[in-house]
Amino acid sequence: MNEKLAKLLEAVEYGKVDQKSPYPPNLKGMDGAHELTQQALDAGIRPQDILEEALIPAMGNVGRKFSENKIFVPQMLMSAKAMGASMAHLKPFFASGKIKSRGTFVIGTVKGDLHDIGKNLVAMMVEGAGWTIVDLGVDVDAGRFLEALSKNPGAVVGLSALLTTTMTNMGEIVAKIKESTPDTVIMVGGAPVNMDFCRKIGADFYAPEPRGAVDFLNQLAS
Amino acid sequence: MKYTQLVISDPSQLIFGNTPYPVKTRRGLDIGGGQVYSELNFTLPVMSINDQTLPQVYDHYRQITEGALERALHLNSKGVILEFETLLEMTKTPAIGVEIVKIMNDICENYYQKHGLASEIRLTPNDLREFERPALQRTSRLLEPMFQLFEEGMLAGGDLLSIESTGGKEVSDEALMMCDIKAVLFSLAVLGVRDMQFLWKKIVALAGQHGKIAAGDSACGFANTAMVLAGKKYIPKVFAAMVRVISVVRSIVAMEQGAVGPDKDCAYEGPFLKAITGIPISMEGKTAACAHLSPVGNISSACTDLWSNESVQNIKLLSGMAPTAYMEQLEYDVRLMNTAIKKGTTHSHILQQLFVESDVYTDPQALVLDPANVIRISSALIRGDSYVANARNGALEFIEILEETLATGQMTLPEMESSYIPMLREELQGIPDSESDFIEMMLPQIDSSKFILSEYGL
């Protein structure tokens, strides 16, 4: 691998945002994702390669370590921040079409429910896998999902709920989405949800933890 | 700062079923007066709440209450608390919540009149204000239905008033995920404290007006969220234990405003509140696994006065409906504790010792609940001149205890966990005593678009 990309991969994997960032302590004073991305672009490395050979593998490593209980969420969040610093440089290339996103993922916690920690984790890991995220936040009704889909045709939808009394709202939202755009792929998640419930309400996929959502989306994109 | 010395300073006095300031209820329960009672909490099965399903909703609560009290009666229960923790729709439309309290209270009264079984309802409206972001803690129109439910619900028979208030949660959620201890302390010891002062002044006044009991407020959305995240290995257990300690300075504000207990079941900060204020508390542990897992199944009962299951859905199990089954489990647990109390302090202390020793070195979150450690940490939590200083001092005392314990070899932690200890200490040591200095320090570091300072009186 190109040395610059290898360094960038390491910076993102270990959460080194920029040179000033004190985290992680063992990379103190060294260039972070911000500087290394600029250096890679200056060296003529294709933006698509920066994304696919450094950023996505780095976040893949982070996701794997998290799934294996080798790191905690804060380390993962620092990696996401480092990736964000890098993506700020790449944003113009998405707009010009020089980089292609793997797809768009619309996610939200369903109507009546305010719990967003699980949703945020899924969004972060999916973004790290190269998807464009449209995060609708919490307490989201069917109308807002439909509106997001009309702006992002072909997007995959993720619904989250933590309560037994709000998971029922998932059924209503799934029905309205499928009625409007039958081909939309919908995944569901949250503590009270399981595969039986997913099937019962007509959703397409359920994952008990964030990594499963990423794997499913990557399969869709491949 | 109302409390400057501990009401219970001897760990041997911090024990289940007894507290210096017991609470007597309308139907004769004497909570903390020499007996532990069950506190049953329950919720609906998977279903929607709307005009069409309301009759079924009411039937569920009727069935739950009858089933639970009938089982308690068969088991010669000395008394029961039934917690009615409302769901969104029941607070947004207070008439629904009030009707459920009426249904439950009629059944409670019937069992009391016919069979002499004393029971009371703890009414816990959910905090609607978190539905607005940034939250309007003091000016929200959502305060109106919440307080309407408090008032009409207490008149309908909800004698004990509680809430899991959410002031500061706007900052806490992200702080927990980032393991940002300074932001956690800001959310609890600044925003949380200020919101508790606002809210509990009103709740205490309302309770006083109608002769009801202002009970207490759990930092559930903060410290229990941390516990669950640590249980999933999302954040370190060391961090979650520290959040628990810091949550004390926020939850004690209810008592400073006049709440008398029993404190809320899911408030694992209860033992600290009991040591500092002498109020009775409710706790939950192994019998709450129906609602969430925890590392403190036995030790949480060490000094409790009510023993709870947190929440269980009204679904059918092999033995019967789940709330009935949990009523039985709670009753056997409290029967054991009450037998120990009857046989004298030696027996109570032996049972407590077993509760403590079976858990204490398995997890930092259990370590903080050891009565001896509760007393040490509680002393630190009232040492300072501000909530900020108290929270910081309590957290630093916890680190001392943790390091002493690790040094003895009684507890071991993986490097992934222990590496957080020096980082957390350094962060804590940088926190000033004064609230205003701390606010000045924190405002540039946190996303101020998430909360409105004036809604916290700042």
Side-chain angles (χ1 to χ4, degrees):
Chain A
M1 182 193 276
N2 177 295
E3 193 190 340
K4 284 191 165 39
L5 289 181
K7 278 188 175 173
L8 177 58
L9 191 155
E10 185 192 23
V12 172
E13 182 172 342
Y14 292 97
K16 181 73 176 165
V17 177
D18 55 27
Q19 197 188 35
K20 287 183 292 182
S21 166
Y23 182 87
N26 61 323
L27 296 181
K28 202 171 178 181
M30 295 170 74
D31 286 342
H34 166 63
E35 294 84 6
L36 291 166
T37 307
Q38 189 57 56
Q39 288 164 22
L41 288 169
D42 292 346
I45 298 173
R46 289 192 326 136
Q48 188 79 36
D49 292 343
I50 294 175
L51 180 70
E52 287 184 358
E53 291 180 30
L55 304 188
I56 292 175
M59 289 306 287
N61 291 346
V62 171
R64 182 180 42 75
K65 284 193 274 188
F66 180 66
S67 299
E68 293 169 0
N69 297 323
K70 289 181 179 163
I71 58 169
F72 291 118
V73 168
Q75 285 106 306
M76 194 160 70
L77 289 172
M78 287 311 295
S79 293
K81 276 194 178 178
M83 179 164 177
S86 185
M87 290 294 274
H89 291 275
L90 301 186
K91 212 171 179 181
F93 300 103
F94 279 100
S96 67
K98 285 190 177 168
I99 304 181
K100 285 192 179 115
S101 159
R102 285 188 170 176
T104 300
F105 183 55
V106 174
I107 188 168
T109 302
V110 299
K111 189 182 163 189
D113 203 321
L114 301 172
H115 297 89
D116 65 356
I117 289 176
K119 171 194 69 82
N120 294 345
L121 274 180
V122 171
M124 182 180 67
M125 288 181 69
V126 172
E127 187 171 28
W131 287 69
T132 301
I133 300 295
V134 178
D135 187 344
L136 300 179
V138 298
D139 194 21
V140 184
D141 60 19
R144 287 182 57 208
F145 279 106
L146 291 174
E147 192 186 331
L149 278 169
S150 71
K151 288 180 188 163
N152 300 279
V156 178
V157 173
L159 308 179
S160 172
L162 190 80
L163 305 174
T164 52
T165 47
T166 55
M167 65 190 275
T168 54
N169 295 335
M170 283 180 164
E172 183 193 325
I173 294 169
V174 168
K176 287 193 175 158
I177 292 173
K178 292 284 184 184
E179 187 188 326
S180 166
T181 51
D183 294 336
T184 300
V185 176
I186 305 172
M187 68 165 84
V188 292
V193 179
N194 59 25
M195 187 53 93
D196 283 347
F197 179 77
C198 166
R199 289 194 189 109
K200 191 176 153 194
I201 62 171
D204 300 291
F205 186 72
Y206 156 77
E209 43 87 34
R211 187 75 210 159
V214 174
D215 291 344
F216 174 72
L217 287 170
N218 284 344
Q219 274 177 10
L220 281 182
S222 63
Chain B
M1 313 290 300
K2 183 175 170 183
Y3 299 100
T4 53
Q5 55 185 16
L6 303 182
V7 171
I8 302 173
S9 55
D10 175 357
S12 72
Q13 301 294 311
L14 190 62
I15 191 140
F16 52 82
N18 277 290
T19 194
Y21 303 119
V23 168
K24 288 191 169 60
T25 72
R26 179 161 56 102
R27 296 193 182 97
L29 300 185
D30 189 8
I31 304 167
Q35 183 135 259
V36 182
Y37 300 101
S38 300
E39 176 164 10
L40 185 74
N41 190 336
F42 33 79
T43 191
L44 295 170
V46 177
M47 68 181 291
S48 301
I49 304 171
N50 53 47
D51 288 346
Q52 285 73 44
T53 62
L54 268 185
Q56 290 162 259
V57 169
Y58 296 144
D59 272 349
H60 273 290
Y61 281 92
R62 190 174 291 116
Q63 184 192 51
I64 289 167
T65 310
E66 279 175 353
L69 292 187
E70 187 61 24
R71 192 66 204 143
L73 184 67
H74 277 271
L75 293 170
N76 297 314
S77 171
K78 304 300 175 205
V80 174
I81 299 291
L82 300 174
E83 185 184 18
F84 171 42
E85 200 166 330
T86 65
L87 298 167
L88 170 67
E89 294 81 356
M90 300 166 185
T91 315
K92 265 167 88 176
T93 310
I96 300 176
V98 173
E99 181 60 25
I100 293 170
V101 176
K102 275 186 196 158
I103 289 168
M104 290 171 60
N105 186 57
D106 284 350
I107 298 166
C108 290
E109 188 60 24
N110 186 39
Y111 271 82
Y112 183 57
Q113 295 298 339
K114 269 194 180 166
H115 308 288
L117 175 63
S119 59
E120 304 291 1
I121 298 166
R122 185 199 290 268
L123 172 60
T124 308
N126 65 305
D127 191 344
L128 291 177
R129 297 171 299 168
E130 63 174 335
F131 276 86
E132 295 170 330
R133 283 290 182 261
L136 303 172
Q137 297 299 115
R138 298 190 177 190
T139 58
S140 173
R141 59 185 172 76
L142 297 173
L143 281 162
E144 196 181 319
M146 280 166 64
F147 275 91
Q148 189 185 338
L149 178 57
F150 265 129
E151 184 156 27
E152 292 177 18
M154 74 173 85
L155 293 173
D159 274 43
L160 309 175
L161 305 182
S162 283
I163 189 167
E164 295 174 1
S165 65
T166 55
K169 203 167 182 307
E170 311 97 304
V171 173
S172 171
D173 279 351
E174 191 179 331
L176 291 180
M177 296 304 274
M178 286 301 290
C179 288
D180 182 344
I181 201 66
K182 284 197 286 197
V184 164
L185 205 140
F186 181 79
S187 75
L188 285 163
V190 178
L191 301 182
V193 160
R194 286 172 165 272
D195 187 53
M196 289 280 291
Q197 287 167 334
F198 166 77
L199 207 57
W200 276 91
K201 190 176 181 182
K202 286 173 178 289
I203 296 170
V204 169
L206 211 52
Q209 208 178 316
H210 298 293
K212 301 292 181 179
I213 298 163
D217 190 322
S218 161
C220 181
F222 307 83
N224 289 7
T225 301
M227 180 173 75
V228 171
L229 292 174
K232 287 175 177 285
K233 297 189 168 34
Y234 285 4
I235 63 173
K237 297 168 184 177
V238 169
F239 184 80
M242 188 173 279
V243 176
R244 177 72 60 200
V245 168
I246 292 170
S247 75
V248 177
V249 300
R250 167 253 183 226
S251 296
I252 205 168
V253 173
M255 284 84 234
E256 290 181 333
Q257 294 297 321
V260 295
D263 195 50
K264 269 276 290 166
D265 55 352
C266 60
Y268 292 90
E269 61 270 28
F272 303 92
L273 303 180
K274 184 168 174 171
I276 297 170
T277 72
I279 61 150
I281 61 169
S282 184
M283 292 289 281
E284 61 191 39
K286 55 184 177 285
T287 339
C290 49
H292 62 78
L293 306 178
S294 90
V296 294
N298 291 323
I299 199 169
S300 56
S301 55
C303 61
T304 197
D305 303 294
L306 296 173
W307 185 232
S308 163
N309 67 317
E310 164 65 14
S311 189
V312 67
Q313 285 178 272
N314 191 36
I315 54 172
K316 183 85 170 65
L317 303 178
L318 288 175
S319 57
M321 298 307 283
T324 305
Y326 274 81
M327 185 79 254
E328 174 164 315
Q329 291 193 337
L330 294 171
E331 278 298 312
Y332 279 112
D333 281 346
V334 302
R335 194 189 276 182
L336 184 64
M337 288 189 261
N338 289 333
T339 302
I341 292 170
K342 248 190 223 166
K343 291 179 85 72
T345 50
T346 308
H347 284 81
S348 295
H349 282 125
I350 289 171
L351 183 57
Q352 185 189 55
Q353 198 181 352
L354 296 173
F355 286 146
V356 171
E357 288 189 13
S358 55
D359 286 347
V360 64
Y361 299 125
T362 61
D363 191 299
Q365 297 167 93
L367 184 68
V368 298
L369 295 185
D370 179 332
N373 295 337
V374 168
I375 298 295
R376 265 184 74 177
I377 294 168
S378 296
S379 300
L381 283 165
I382 55 171
R383 197 186 297 149
D385 293 326
S386 72
Y387 295 100
V388 169
N390 283 347
R392 180 201 60 205
N393 294 343
L396 285 168
E397 187 68 25
F398 157 64
I399 291 183
E400 292 302 309
I401 290 169
L402 180 63
E403 289 195 323
E404 285 168 24
T405 309
L406 292 171
T408 65
Q410 289 166 302
M411 176 184 271
T412 54
L413 289 174
E415 197 270 336
M416 210 176 140
E417 284 271 347
S418 59
S419 62
Y420 271 81
I421 299 173
M423 287 191 282
L424 290 169
R425 177 189 277 120
E426 195 183 329
E427 290 285 294
L428 288 166
Q429 285 171 337
I431 294 173
D433 282 347
S434 129
E435 187 200 45
S436 55
D437 289 350
F438 183 52
I439 293 171
E440 202 175 316
M441 172 198 269
M442 291 305 294
L443 285 182
Q445 296 178 33
I446 47 182
D447 182 356
S448 55
S449 68
K450 288 190 170 172
F451 59 94
I452 301 169
L453 278 176
S454 61
E455 292 290 334
Y456 290 95
L458 285 164

